[in-house]
Amino acid sequence: MTAEPGSFLTARWVHLAMINHEIDPAVLEPHVPAGTVLDEWDGRCFVSLVGFRFLDTKVLGIPIPFHRHFDEVNLRFYVRREVDGELRRGVVFIKEIVPRAAIALVARVIYEENYVALPMRHRIAMADGEDRSVRYEWRVGSRWNGLGVEVEGEPVLPEVGSEEEFITEHYWGYAAQRDGSTVEYRVEHPQWRVWRATRSSLDCDVGQLYGPEFVEALSGDPSSAFLAAGSEVVVRPGRESPNGRDQ
């Protein structure tokens, strides 16, 4: 795969519920793509469970019928890479859940990302006068799993150097390939305003969905939880680099 001009995907990502847990770096090391290293905040590594809405989705500028609006829930962690003096801070996905098999198939084929298709639903209550909350759910077998946040007040830009800024300010994606190379792609969006959550919840069979190595980190209280308002997003075509090196 070589870099191409233009966009691969455009959409609006909205109501991003983010629940963030500190994790032992040794758990993540086997998942770090070649050419990247773990990114830390205040000497700590994090995994985040993120649920959000895809709206007005287009692939290569074309809206796909019945696949424009959907939910996604992903488990991700954070890496960085330096290229010609530029520090690129990005995310790596452990698993991404979407409701439609075609979406999962495209992502697996194009980027070799670990997408799965499961039944999903959401509840978003953010109108004035409501108890503001966002919840995303997905069904594994006969059991509904879910994550949610409750917020109040108005969203604000994260403080410089804060944990919220660290979690939201990663503008690259990295995907390890079966041949040992790494696909790198840019994700473009403005800085997001966030609500700090007054309460968060996670009801998930972590071991079954993500693996036993993630149970300890995701079973404890989160380090932080918040809701990002979101924005329009552009995902640029990826570039594959053997052993993580640019060609």
Side-chain angles (χ1 to χ4, degrees):
M1 183 190 305
T2 58
E4 298 178 8
S7 63
F8 169 70
L9 179 146
T10 60
R12 285 190 296 130
W13 292 354
V14 298
H15 297 127
L16 295 96
M18 298 181 165
I19 301 178
N20 313 295
H21 291 257
E22 187 175 356
I23 191 169
D24 183 344
V27 175
L28 299 177
E29 284 292 352
H31 303 279
V32 175
T36 70
V37 297
L38 288 171
D39 201 7
E40 299 178 346
W41 179 80
D42 197 26
R44 302 154 67 197
C45 286
F46 292 91
V47 288
S48 300
L49 273 162
V50 182
F52 63 104
R53 292 279 290 155
F54 261 90
L55 301 177
D56 302 323
T57 306
K58 297 179 181 179
V59 177
L60 299 177
I62 302 171
I64 309 301
F66 310 111
H67 293 77
R68 296 187 63 201
H69 314 304
F70 55 91
D71 298 340
E72 179 176 311
V73 169
N74 63 61
L75 179 65
R76 73 187 203 180
F77 67 96
Y78 305 93
V79 297
R80 66 182 187 272
R81 180 180 185 220
E82 188 170 332
V83 179
D84 296 330
E86 175 194 0
L87 181 61
R88 298 180 179 179
R89 310 183 79 171
V91 301
V92 178
F93 297 102
I94 298 297
K95 183 171 288 186
E96 295 155 281
I97 304 169
V98 290
R100 297 187 180 276
I103 299 167
L105 177 62
V106 168
R108 289 196 299 266
V109 170
I110 299 297
Y111 290 113
E112 294 189 21
E113 294 276 25
N114 188 17
Y115 269 79
V116 297
L118 295 172
M120 300 185 74
R121 63 190 184 189
H122 66 267
R123 179 182 181 276
I124 297 173
M126 293 296 293
D128 291 340
E130 291 183 320
D131 292 330
R132 296 184 175 185
S133 63
V134 172
R135 183 169 179 82
Y136 296 96
E137 296 184 329
W138 59 98
R139 194 180 72 211
V140 180
S142 60
R143 180 190 172 192
W144 283 97
N145 296 246
L147 66 85
V149 295
E150 299 176 12
V151 302
E152 60 185 22
E154 298 300 322
V156 297
L157 292 176
E159 294 183 9
V160 175
S162 66
E163 187 174 329
E164 289 92 343
E165 182 189 53
F166 173 81
I167 296 295
T168 58
E169 296 291 287
H170 283 77
Y171 293 99
W172 295 85
Y174 293 95
Q177 307 295 287
R178 285 187 291 270
D179 64 2
S181 65
T182 298
V183 164
E184 175 189 72
Y185 54 94
R186 185 192 293 269
V187 181
E188 299 176 2
H189 62 78
Q191 188 177 27
W192 289 329
R193 295 181 180 272
V194 301
W195 292 264
R196 177 170 282 274
T198 56
R199 182 179 179 184
S200 66
S201 61
L202 173 63
D203 177 17
C204 174
D205 187 337
V206 173
Q208 179 185 11
L209 190 60
Y210 300 116
E213 66 269 33
F214 292 98
V215 171
E216 181 177 356
L218 296 179
S219 295
D221 292 334
S223 174
S224 65
F226 50 87
L227 179 68
S231 67
E232 293 185 351
V233 172
V234 176
V235 179
R236 297 297 179 185
R239 177 161 65 179
E240 184 176 327
S241 303
N243 301 316
R245 296 189 296 268
D246 283 335
Q247 300 184 86

PDB file of all heavy atoms in Angstrom, residues 199-231:
ATOM      1  N   ARG A 199     -19.973  10.550  36.464  1.00  0.00           N
ATOM      2  CA  ARG A 199     -20.113   9.127  36.753  1.00  0.00           C
ATOM      3  C   ARG A 199     -19.856   8.355  35.459  1.00  0.00           C
ATOM      4  O   ARG A 199     -20.192   8.823  34.375  1.00  0.00           O
ATOM      5  CB  ARG A 199     -21.516   8.810  37.272  1.00  0.00           C
ATOM      6  CG  ARG A 199     -21.743   7.349  37.654  1.00  0.00           C
ATOM      7  CD  ARG A 199     -23.148   7.149  38.179  1.00  0.00           C
ATOM      8  NE  ARG A 199     -23.381   5.753  38.514  1.00  0.00           N
ATOM      9  CZ  ARG A 199     -24.554   5.267  38.918  1.00  0.00           C
ATOM     10  NH1 ARG A 199     -25.604   6.080  39.036  1.00  0.00           N
ATOM     11  NH2 ARG A 199     -24.680   3.987  39.210  1.00  0.00           N
ATOM     12  N   SER A 200     -19.245   7.183  35.574  1.00  0.00           N
ATOM     13  CA  SER A 200     -19.053   6.319  34.411  1.00  0.00           C
ATOM     14  C   SER A 200     -19.371   4.888  34.797  1.00  0.00           C
ATOM     15  O   SER A 200     -19.367   4.528  35.983  1.00  0.00           O
ATOM     16  CB  SER A 200     -17.608   6.408  33.893  1.00  0.00           C
ATOM     17  OG  SER A 200     -16.699   5.877  34.851  1.00  0.00           O
ATOM     18  N   SER A 201     -19.654   4.075  33.786  1.00  0.00           N
ATOM     19  CA  SER A 201     -19.975   2.671  34.052  1.00  0.00           C
ATOM     20  C   SER A 201     -19.455   1.817  32.907  1.00  0.00           C
ATOM     21  O   SER A 201     -19.430   2.234  31.752  1.00  0.00           O
ATOM     22  CB  SER A 201     -21.489   2.472  34.207  1.00  0.00           C
ATOM     23  OG  SER A 201     -22.166   2.836  33.011  1.00  0.00           O
ATOM     24  N   LEU A 202     -19.032   0.604  33.261  1.00  0.00           N
ATOM     25  CA  LEU A 202     -18.587  -0.381  32.282  1.00  0.00           C
ATOM     26  C   LEU A 202     -19.106  -1.733  32.716  1.00  0.00           C
ATOM     27  O   LEU A 202     -18.818  -2.202  33.818  1.00  0.00           O
ATOM     28  CB  LEU A 202     -17.062  -0.404  32.184  1.00  0.00           C
ATOM     29  CG  LEU A 202     -16.463  -1.524  31.313  1.00  0.00           C
ATOM     30  CD1 LEU A 202     -16.908  -1.370  29.863  1.00  0.00           C
ATOM     31  CD2 LEU A 202     -14.945  -1.539  31.421  1.00  0.00           C
ATOM     32  N   ASP A 203     -19.886  -2.351  31.861  1.00  0.00           N
ATOM     33  CA  ASP A 203     -20.423  -3.685  32.102  1.00  0.00           C
ATOM     34  C   ASP A 203     -20.023  -4.549  30.916  1.00  0.00           C
ATOM     35  O   ASP A 203     -20.652  -4.501  29.857  1.00  0.00           O
ATOM     36  CB  ASP A 203     -21.946  -3.631  32.247  1.00  0.00           C
ATOM     37  CG  ASP A 203     -22.561  -5.006  32.438  1.00  0.00           C
ATOM     38  OD1 ASP A 203     -21.814  -5.947  32.775  1.00  0.00           O
ATOM     39  OD2 ASP A 203     -23.787  -5.144  32.243  1.00  0.00           O
ATOM     40  N   CYS A 204     -18.953  -5.327  31.074  1.00  0.00           N
ATOM     41  CA  CYS A 204     -18.361  -6.009  29.927  1.00  0.00           C
ATOM     42  C   CYS A 204     -17.630  -7.259  30.394  1.00  0.00           C
ATOM     43  O   CYS A 204     -16.942  -7.239  31.426  1.00  0.00           O
ATOM     44  CB  CYS A 204     -17.395  -5.056  29.214  1.00  0.00           C
ATOM     45  SG  CYS A 204     -16.443  -5.804  27.877  1.00  0.00           S
ATOM     46  N   ASP A 205     -17.758  -8.333  29.634  1.00  0.00           N
ATOM     47  CA  ASP A 205     -16.962  -9.535  29.868  1.00  0.00           C
ATOM     48  C   ASP A 205     -15.612  -9.308  29.195  1.00  0.00           C
ATOM     49  O   ASP A 205     -15.394  -9.689  28.042  1.00  0.00           O
ATOM     50  CB  ASP A 205     -17.669 -10.764  29.297  1.00  0.00           C
ATOM     51  CG  ASP A 205     -16.970 -12.067  29.666  1.00  0.00           C
ATOM     52  OD1 ASP A 205     -15.759 -12.030  29.961  1.00  0.00           O
ATOM     53  OD2 ASP A 205     -17.630 -13.118  29.660  1.00  0.00           O
ATOM     54  N   VAL A 206     -14.726  -8.654  29.920  1.00  0.00           N
ATOM     55  CA  VAL A 206     -13.450  -8.223  29.349  1.00  0.00           C
ATOM     56  C   VAL A 206     -12.633  -9.406  28.855  1.00  0.00           C
ATOM     57  O   VAL A 206     -12.057  -9.389  27.764  1.00  0.00           O
ATOM     58  CB  VAL A 206     -12.660  -7.398  30.380  1.00  0.00           C
ATOM     59  CG1 VAL A 206     -11.258  -7.085  29.853  1.00  0.00           C
ATOM     60  CG2 VAL A 206     -13.405  -6.109  30.717  1.00  0.00           C
ATOM     61  N   GLY A 207     -12.562 -10.451  29.646  1.00  0.00           N
ATOM     62  CA  GLY A 207     -11.755 -11.597  29.272  1.00  0.00           C
ATOM     63  C   GLY A 207     -12.211 -12.239  27.980  1.00  0.00           C
ATOM     64  O   GLY A 207     -11.394 -12.608  27.131  1.00  0.00           O
ATOM     65  N   GLN A 208     -13.526 -12.367  27.812  1.00  0.00           N
ATOM     66  CA  GLN A 208     -14.054 -12.984  26.604  1.00  0.00           C
ATOM     67  C   GLN A 208     -13.824 -12.104  25.383  1.00  0.00           C
ATOM     68  O   GLN A 208     -13.471 -12.597  24.305  1.00  0.00           O
ATOM     69  CB  GLN A 208     -15.553 -13.264  26.757  1.00  0.00           C
ATOM     70  CG  GLN A 208     -16.190 -13.876  25.521  1.00  0.00           C
ATOM     71  CD  GLN A 208     -17.703 -14.038  25.653  1.00  0.00           C
ATOM     72  OE1 GLN A 208     -18.314 -13.522  26.579  1.00  0.00           O
ATOM     73  NE2 GLN A 208     -18.305 -14.741  24.710  1.00  0.00           N
ATOM     74  N   LEU A 209     -14.008 -10.797  25.540  1.00  0.00           N
ATOM     75  CA  LEU A 209     -13.974  -9.896  24.390  1.00  0.00           C
ATOM     76  C   LEU A 209     -12.560  -9.458  24.026  1.00  0.00           C
ATOM     77  O   LEU A 209     -12.201  -9.392  22.840  1.00  0.00           O
ATOM     78  CB  LEU A 209     -14.844  -8.676  24.671  1.00  0.00           C
ATOM     79  CG  LEU A 209     -15.123  -7.746  23.500  1.00  0.00           C
ATOM     80  CD1 LEU A 209     -15.841  -8.486  22.366  1.00  0.00           C
ATOM     81  CD2 LEU A 209     -15.963  -6.551  23.960  1.00  0.00           C
ATOM     82  N   TYR A 210     -11.747  -9.140  25.039  1.00  0.00           N
ATOM     83  CA  TYR A 210     -10.437  -8.549  24.768  1.00  0.00           C
ATOM     84  C   TYR A 210      -9.262  -9.433  25.172  1.00  0.00           C
ATOM     85  O   TYR A 210      -8.137  -9.187  24.745  1.00  0.00           O
ATOM     86  CB  TYR A 210     -10.322  -7.202  25.481  1.00  0.00           C
ATOM     87  CG  TYR A 210     -11.363  -6.209  25.033  1.00  0.00           C
ATOM     88  CD1 TYR A 210     -12.332  -5.734  25.907  1.00  0.00           C
ATOM     89  CD2 TYR A 210     -11.394  -5.754  23.713  1.00  0.00           C
ATOM     90  CE1 TYR A 210     -13.291  -4.824  25.493  1.00  0.00           C
ATOM     91  CE2 TYR A 210     -12.355  -4.852  23.295  1.00  0.00           C
ATOM     92  CZ  TYR A 210     -13.305  -4.388  24.191  1.00  0.00           C
ATOM     93  OH  TYR A 210     -14.260  -3.496  23.773  1.00  0.00           O
ATOM     94  N   GLY A 211      -9.501 -10.427  26.010  1.00  0.00           N
ATOM     95  CA  GLY A 211      -8.432 -11.302  26.462  1.00  0.00           C
ATOM     96  C   GLY A 211      -8.170 -11.147  27.944  1.00  0.00           C
ATOM     97  O   GLY A 211      -8.364 -10.067  28.520  1.00  0.00           O
ATOM     98  N   PRO A 212      -7.724 -12.225  28.603  1.00  0.00           N
ATOM     99  CA  PRO A 212      -7.527 -12.187  30.058  1.00  0.00           C
ATOM    100  C   PRO A 212      -6.489 -11.179  30.514  1.00  0.00           C
ATOM    101  O   PRO A 212      -6.521 -10.725  31.662  1.00  0.00           O
ATOM    102  CB  PRO A 212      -7.101 -13.625  30.387  1.00  0.00           C
ATOM    103  CG  PRO A 212      -6.596 -14.196  29.091  1.00  0.00           C
ATOM    104  CD  PRO A 212      -7.407 -13.536  28.019  1.00  0.00           C
ATOM    105  N   GLU A 213      -5.547 -10.813  29.632  1.00  0.00           N
ATOM    106  CA  GLU A 213      -4.498  -9.884  30.042  1.00  0.00           C
ATOM    107  C   GLU A 213      -5.034  -8.484  30.332  1.00  0.00           C
ATOM    108  O   GLU A 213      -4.353  -7.676  30.979  1.00  0.00           O
ATOM    109  CB  GLU A 213      -3.396  -9.811  28.971  1.00  0.00           C
ATOM    110  CG  GLU A 213      -3.817  -9.209  27.644  1.00  0.00           C
ATOM    111  CD  GLU A 213      -4.326 -10.240  26.643  1.00  0.00           C
ATOM    112  OE1 GLU A 213      -4.940 -11.244  27.077  1.00  0.00           O
ATOM    113  OE2 GLU A 213      -4.123 -10.031  25.431  1.00  0.00           O
ATOM    114  N   PHE A 214      -6.260  -8.183  29.864  1.00  0.00           N
ATOM    115  CA  PHE A 214      -6.833  -6.853  30.088  1.00  0.00           C
ATOM    116  C   PHE A 214      -7.807  -6.804  31.272  1.00  0.00           C
ATOM    117  O   PHE A 214      -8.299  -5.736  31.622  1.00  0.00           O
ATOM    118  CB  PHE A 214      -7.538  -6.359  28.823  1.00  0.00           C
ATOM    119  CG  PHE A 214      -6.597  -6.060  27.697  1.00  0.00           C
ATOM    120  CD1 PHE A 214      -6.376  -6.988  26.687  1.00  0.00           C
ATOM    121  CD2 PHE A 214      -5.895  -4.873  27.661  1.00  0.00           C
ATOM    122  CE1 PHE A 214      -5.492  -6.729  25.653  1.00  0.00           C
ATOM    123  CE2 PHE A 214      -4.999  -4.594  26.625  1.00  0.00           C
ATOM    124  CZ  PHE A 214      -4.795  -5.528  25.631  1.00  0.00           C
ATOM    125  N   VAL A 215      -8.068  -7.951  31.876  1.00  0.00           N
ATOM    126  CA  VAL A 215      -9.079  -8.002  32.942  1.00  0.00           C
ATOM    127  C   VAL A 215      -8.677  -7.146  34.131  1.00  0.00           C
ATOM    128  O   VAL A 215      -9.472  -6.358  34.653  1.00  0.00           O
ATOM    129  CB  VAL A 215      -9.328  -9.457  33.376  1.00  0.00           C
ATOM    130  CG1 VAL A 215     -10.200  -9.498  34.640  1.00  0.00           C
ATOM    131  CG2 VAL A 215     -10.001 -10.244  32.256  1.00  0.00           C
ATOM    132  N   GLU A 216      -7.436  -7.277  34.588  1.00  0.00           N
ATOM    133  CA  GLU A 216      -7.018  -6.546  35.788  1.00  0.00           C
ATOM    134  C   GLU A 216      -7.146  -5.041  35.593  1.00  0.00           C
ATOM    135  O   GLU A 216      -7.708  -4.334  36.441  1.00  0.00           O
ATOM    136  CB  GLU A 216      -5.583  -6.908  36.156  1.00  0.00           C
ATOM    137  CG  GLU A 216      -5.097  -6.199  37.420  1.00  0.00           C
ATOM    138  CD  GLU A 216      -3.692  -6.607  37.822  1.00  0.00           C
ATOM    139  OE1 GLU A 216      -3.115  -7.500  37.159  1.00  0.00           O
ATOM    140  OE2 GLU A 216      -3.152  -6.029  38.796  1.00  0.00           O
ATOM    141  N   ALA A 217      -6.648  -4.525  34.479  1.00  0.00           N
ATOM    142  CA  ALA A 217      -6.678  -3.072  34.266  1.00  0.00           C
ATOM    143  C   ALA A 217      -8.095  -2.545  34.154  1.00  0.00           C
ATOM    144  O   ALA A 217      -8.414  -1.471  34.695  1.00  0.00           O
ATOM    145  CB  ALA A 217      -5.891  -2.720  33.011  1.00  0.00           C
ATOM    146  N   LEU A 218      -8.970  -3.262  33.454  1.00  0.00           N
ATOM    147  CA  LEU A 218     -10.314  -2.751  33.198  1.00  0.00           C
ATOM    148  C   LEU A 218     -11.306  -3.081  34.307  1.00  0.00           C
ATOM    149  O   LEU A 218     -12.454  -2.645  34.243  1.00  0.00           O
ATOM    150  CB  LEU A 218     -10.828  -3.295  31.865  1.00  0.00           C
ATOM    151  CG  LEU A 218     -10.040  -2.848  30.626  1.00  0.00           C
ATOM    152  CD1 LEU A 218     -10.621  -3.464  29.362  1.00  0.00           C
ATOM    153  CD2 LEU A 218     -10.020  -1.333  30.503  1.00  0.00           C
ATOM    154  N   SER A 219     -10.873  -3.831  35.310  1.00  0.00           N
ATOM    155  CA  SER A 219     -11.774  -4.172  36.411  1.00  0.00           C
ATOM    156  C   SER A 219     -11.751  -3.130  37.522  1.00  0.00           C
ATOM    157  O   SER A 219     -12.681  -3.063  38.340  1.00  0.00           O
ATOM    158  CB  SER A 219     -11.399  -5.538  36.994  1.00  0.00           C
ATOM    159  OG  SER A 219     -11.601  -6.561  36.047  1.00  0.00           O
ATOM    160  N   GLY A 220     -10.710  -2.336  37.584  1.00  0.00           N
ATOM    161  CA  GLY A 220     -10.621  -1.335  38.635  1.00  0.00           C
ATOM    162  C   GLY A 220     -11.307  -0.039  38.261  1.00  0.00           C
ATOM    163  O   GLY A 220     -11.908   0.105  37.183  1.00  0.00           O
ATOM    164  N   ASP A 221     -11.220   0.935  39.181  1.00  0.00           N
ATOM    165  CA  ASP A 221     -11.790   2.253  38.894  1.00  0.00           C
ATOM    166  C   ASP A 221     -10.974   2.927  37.787  1.00  0.00           C
ATOM    167  O   ASP A 221      -9.749   2.815  37.748  1.00  0.00           O
ATOM    168  CB  ASP A 221     -11.763   3.128  40.146  1.00  0.00           C
ATOM    169  CG  ASP A 221     -12.714   2.634  41.213  1.00  0.00           C
ATOM    170  OD1 ASP A 221     -13.707   1.963  40.852  1.00  0.00           O
ATOM    171  OD2 ASP A 221     -12.444   2.888  42.402  1.00  0.00           O
ATOM    172  N   PRO A 222     -11.637   3.670  36.892  1.00  0.00           N
ATOM    173  CA  PRO A 222     -10.883   4.352  35.828  1.00  0.00           C
ATOM    174  C   PRO A 222     -10.060   5.505  36.375  1.00  0.00           C
ATOM    175  O   PRO A 222     -10.390   6.095  37.407  1.00  0.00           O
ATOM    176  CB  PRO A 222     -11.981   4.846  34.887  1.00  0.00           C
ATOM    177  CG  PRO A 222     -13.202   4.967  35.748  1.00  0.00           C
ATOM    178  CD  PRO A 222     -13.093   3.877  36.765  1.00  0.00           C
ATOM    179  N   SER A 223      -8.992   5.829  35.657  1.00  0.00           N
ATOM    180  CA  SER A 223      -8.212   7.008  35.990  1.00  0.00           C
ATOM    181  C   SER A 223      -8.988   8.271  35.666  1.00  0.00           C
ATOM    182  O   SER A 223      -8.894   9.276  36.376  1.00  0.00           O
ATOM    183  CB  SER A 223      -6.902   6.990  35.205  1.00  0.00           C
ATOM    184  OG  SER A 223      -6.174   8.187  35.392  1.00  0.00           O
ATOM    185  N   SER A 224      -9.779   8.219  34.595  1.00  0.00           N
ATOM    186  CA  SER A 224     -10.600   9.361  34.192  1.00  0.00           C
ATOM    187  C   SER A 224     -11.702   8.866  33.273  1.00  0.00           C
ATOM    188  O   SER A 224     -11.620   7.767  32.710  1.00  0.00           O
ATOM    189  CB  SER A 224      -9.767  10.433  33.475  1.00  0.00           C
ATOM    190  OG  SER A 224      -9.263   9.939  32.246  1.00  0.00           O
ATOM    191  N   ALA A 225     -12.716   9.671  33.131  1.00  0.00           N
ATOM    192  CA  ALA A 225     -13.789   9.405  32.180  1.00  0.00           C
ATOM    193  C   ALA A 225     -14.361  10.746  31.751  1.00  0.00           C
ATOM    194  O   ALA A 225     -14.540  11.653  32.581  1.00  0.00           O
ATOM    195  CB  ALA A 225     -14.881   8.542  32.802  1.00  0.00           C
ATOM    196  N   PHE A 226     -14.623  10.874  30.470  1.00  0.00           N
ATOM    197  CA  PHE A 226     -15.186  12.123  29.983  1.00  0.00           C
ATOM    198  C   PHE A 226     -15.910  11.883  28.672  1.00  0.00           C
ATOM    199  O   PHE A 226     -15.865  10.791  28.090  1.00  0.00           O
ATOM    200  CB  PHE A 226     -14.120  13.214  29.842  1.00  0.00           C
ATOM    201  CG  PHE A 226     -12.887  12.797  29.085  1.00  0.00           C
ATOM    202  CD1 PHE A 226     -12.822  12.904  27.708  1.00  0.00           C
ATOM    203  CD2 PHE A 226     -11.776  12.322  29.752  1.00  0.00           C
ATOM    204  CE1 PHE A 226     -11.689  12.542  27.011  1.00  0.00           C
ATOM    205  CE2 PHE A 226     -10.625  11.955  29.067  1.00  0.00           C
ATOM    206  CZ  PHE A 226     -10.586  12.066  27.685  1.00  0.00           C
ATOM    207  N   LEU A 227     -16.588  12.908  28.211  1.00  0.00           N
ATOM    208  CA  LEU A 227     -17.341  12.866  26.963  1.00  0.00           C
ATOM    209  C   LEU A 227     -16.806  13.963  26.064  1.00  0.00           C
ATOM    210  O   LEU A 227     -16.796  15.139  26.440  1.00  0.00           O
ATOM    211  CB  LEU A 227     -18.830  13.082  27.230  1.00  0.00           C
ATOM    212  CG  LEU A 227     -19.750  13.082  26.004  1.00  0.00           C
ATOM    213  CD1 LEU A 227     -19.836  11.698  25.379  1.00  0.00           C
ATOM    214  CD2 LEU A 227     -21.154  13.579  26.389  1.00  0.00           C
ATOM    215  N   ALA A 228     -16.341  13.594  24.877  1.00  0.00           N
ATOM    216  CA  ALA A 228     -15.877  14.572  23.895  1.00  0.00           C
ATOM    217  C   ALA A 228     -17.005  14.881  22.924  1.00  0.00           C
ATOM    218  O   ALA A 228     -17.724  13.976  22.486  1.00  0.00           O
ATOM    219  CB  ALA A 228     -14.659  14.043  23.139  1.00  0.00           C
ATOM    220  N   ALA A 229     -17.179  16.164  22.614  1.00  0.00           N
ATOM    221  CA  ALA A 229     -18.270  16.566  21.736  1.00  0.00           C
ATOM    222  C   ALA A 229     -18.102  16.002  20.331  1.00  0.00           C
ATOM    223  O   ALA A 229     -19.070  15.619  19.682  1.00  0.00           O
ATOM    224  CB  ALA A 229     -18.372  18.084  21.689  1.00  0.00           C
ATOM    225  N   GLY A 230     -16.846  15.936  19.840  1.00  0.00           N
ATOM    226  CA  GLY A 230     -16.592  15.415  18.506  1.00  0.00           C
ATOM    227  C   GLY A 230     -16.642  16.496  17.451  1.00  0.00           C
ATOM    228  O   GLY A 230     -16.790  17.695  17.729  1.00  0.00           O
ATOM    229  N   SER A 231     -16.534  16.070  16.179  1.00  0.00           N
ATOM    230  CA  SER A 231     -16.429  17.009  15.068  1.00  0.00           C
ATOM    231  C   SER A 231     -16.437  16.231  13.764  1.00  0.00           C
ATOM    232  O   SER A 231     -16.518  14.992  13.744  1.00  0.00           O
ATOM    233  CB  SER A 231     -15.104  17.783  15.157  1.00  0.00           C
ATOM    234  OG  SER A 231     -14.009  16.895  14.952  1.00  0.00           O
TER     235      SER A 231
END
